[in-house]
Amino acid sequence: MINNFKKQCAQSKLSAICAQLTDLSNTAFGVNNGNIPKWEAAIDVIQQHPKGTANYQTPYLNITSKNGNIDTLRQSLKLLMPWRKGPYQIGALQLDSEWRGDMKWDRVLPHIRSLQGKCVLDVGSGNGYFTYLMALEGAEIALGIEPFLLFNYQFNAIRMLMKNPPNAFVLPLKLEQMPAEALFDTVFSMGVLYHQRDHFMHLQQLKDVLVDGGELILETLTIDEQHGEQIIPKNRYARMRNVWCLPSTKTLYGWLKSTGFQNIKLVNVTQTTTDEQRATHWIGDNTQSLSDFLDPNDNNLTIEGLPAPRRAIFICQKK
Ligand SMILES: C[S@@+](CC[C@H](N)C(=O)[O-])C[C@H]1O[C@@H](n2cnc3c(N)ncnc32)[C@H](O)[C@@H]1O
């Protein structure tokens, strides 16, 4: 997998940083994680399945794989649960992830510059559902970075089912590990900012890796201004432990401006619904999802009494 990345990377505008990214990724994959033998075993079986062509047939990232034993494939993909991001379809098998990623993509895609021939970074890519869609939009290379190893294995499992995979890759890296080289034409940070203790550092690092004139797509949780400038959850937020800050869209606009971004546009604000985030058979033993994280008497509040998840999409440029 890393070899495939190395080859494509060397031919792209990222060639100067390929060796560094490869070394960092090999180190990350080399950690002692007791689940790796199970994930490797799943991948070994998945790669025997007949390969198909990838395309986007909303809501699914679809792989037109015919034949093959679908029960064996399902069992192996289930060893890689929980599947948070997707959905995917492989032949007749519908892998319905917790999230309907297509709903976010529909909100994002009409507003961004064409990805044709671009060098794209997808920060916090999860299993790469969006990274694949970016590559299918014609990116020269779409690089997802995702520190959680399981999601890297999920990405690889899906890639192994593709005959001619698009130029999408996911590496087990954090944004903080990326060389501060201005090489990417478009950078996505979707669902990541609120997980950062230091939001300014995250915004600055996003800016560092963008070429001059490059475009940032920032999607994150925000609050309505009636709730103030920002909320810093004392404990959990919608049962999530690691949510550090929920700014109002006005506050977030100010953060982007102080980081030096230009042409800052708020293109969408949407409250997350239980159609978009829901429990499915693909999320494993912990079957809770958004409906369990909201106040049962008021869908506009989380179970902790804070404003319910509401996501904003900002688009802006460096210089
Ligand atoms: C809520 S998910 C969002 C996934 C996808 N981008 C989306 O919009 O659905 C956030 C992901 O960001 C990853 N993440 C958190 N901090 C990160 C960092 N500093 N650098 C890269 N990824 C990070 C997490 O591991 C997690 O998988």
Side-chain angles (χ1 to χ4, degrees), residues 84-85 99 101 104 122-130 134 145-148 151 173-177 188-196 202 205 219 240 242 311:
R84 300 276 173 222
K85 306 296 167 176
W99 284 85
K104 186 184 294 197
D122 182 13
V123 177
S125 60
N127 66 32
Y129 174 80
F130 297 113
M134 292 164 197
I145 51 171
E146 171 53 59
F148 197 47
F151 299 154
L173 305 175
K174 287 187 169 178
L175 179 61
E176 299 84 305
Q177 295 174 285
F188 292 81
S189 166
M190 302 196 291
V192 186
L193 186 72
Y194 54 88
H195 288 313
Q196 310 308 307
H202 184 76
Q205 285 164 344
E219 192 257 10
M240 288 183 278
N242 49 356
R311 290 173 156 80

Side-chain angles (χ1 to χ4, degrees), residues 279-298:
T280 70
H281 293 303
W282 289 89
I283 64 171
D285 297 337
N286 183 352
T287 56
Q288 295 205 324
S289 191
L290 182 62
S291 59
D292 306 290
F293 310 151
L294 297 177
D295 181 334
N297 301 313
D298 184 354

Side-chain angles (χ1 to χ4, degrees), residues 120-151:
V120 179
L121 181 67
D122 182 13
V123 177
S125 60
N127 66 32
Y129 174 80
F130 297 113
T131 325
Y132 280 125
L133 298 187
M134 292 164 197
L136 288 173
E137 285 295 312
E140 177 188 46
I141 187 165
L143 174 62
I145 51 171
E146 171 53 59
F148 197 47
L149 277 191
L150 170 63
F151 299 154

Side-chain angles (χ1 to χ4, degrees), residues 123-225:
V123 177
S125 60
N127 66 32
Y129 174 80
F130 297 113
T131 325
Y132 280 125
L133 298 187
M134 292 164 197
L136 288 173
E137 285 295 312
E140 177 188 46
I141 187 165
L143 174 62
I145 51 171
E146 171 53 59
F148 197 47
L149 277 191
L150 170 63
F151 299 154
N152 284 260
Y153 276 86
Q154 291 179 350
F155 173 83
N156 290 339
I158 295 293
R159 199 169 197 278
M160 270 163 192
L161 293 163
M162 297 177 178
K163 210 182 285 162
N164 293 307
N167 294 333
F169 301 91
V170 169
L171 299 178
L173 305 175
K174 287 187 169 178
L175 179 61
E176 299 84 305
Q177 295 174 285
M178 288 295 286
E181 303 261 0
L183 293 173
F184 292 92
D185 304 298
T186 302
V187 173
F188 292 81
S189 166
M190 302 196 291
V192 186
L193 186 72
Y194 54 88
H195 288 313
Q196 310 308 307
R197 279 172 197 257
D198 186 341
H199 47 264
F200 274 121
M201 194 175 87
H202 184 76
L203 295 177
Q204 185 58 53
Q205 285 164 344
L206 293 170
K207 189 162 161 244
D208 289 344
V209 296
L210 268 174
V211 296
D212 284 350
E215 184 165 81
L216 170 70
I217 294 92
L218 180 75
E219 192 257 10
T220 192
L221 288 170
T222 54
I223 52 166
D224 191 276
E225 261 157 53

Side-chain angles (χ1 to χ4, degrees), residues 78-89:
K78 286 213 163 183
L79 290 176
L80 300 176
M81 288 195 300
W83 286 84
R84 300 276 173 222
K85 306 296 167 176
Y88 298 93
Q89 174 151 3

Side-chain angles (χ1 to χ4, degrees), residues 54-119:
N55 57 25
Y56 180 44
Q57 281 184 18
T58 183
Y60 295 102
L61 173 49
N62 179 51
I63 303 174
T64 59
S65 161
K66 291 205 185 86
N67 310 320
N69 186 327
I70 208 170
D71 293 326
T72 310
L73 179 64
R74 185 185 296 105
Q75 268 170 25
S76 305
L77 289 169
K78 286 213 163 183
L79 290 176
L80 300 176
M81 288 195 300
W83 286 84
R84 300 276 173 222
K85 306 296 167 176
Y88 298 93
Q89 174 151 3
I90 305 113
L93 174 69
Q94 293 183 332
L95 194 171
D96 282 309
S97 50
E98 179 183 14
W99 284 85
R100 284 269 313 271
D102 59 298
M103 294 172 80
K104 186 184 294 197
W105 194 238
D106 283 352
R107 296 195 291 270
V108 167
L109 192 61
H111 303 287
I112 65 173
R113 289 182 185 160
S114 164
L115 298 181
Q116 192 69 43
K118 300 279 174 60
C119 220

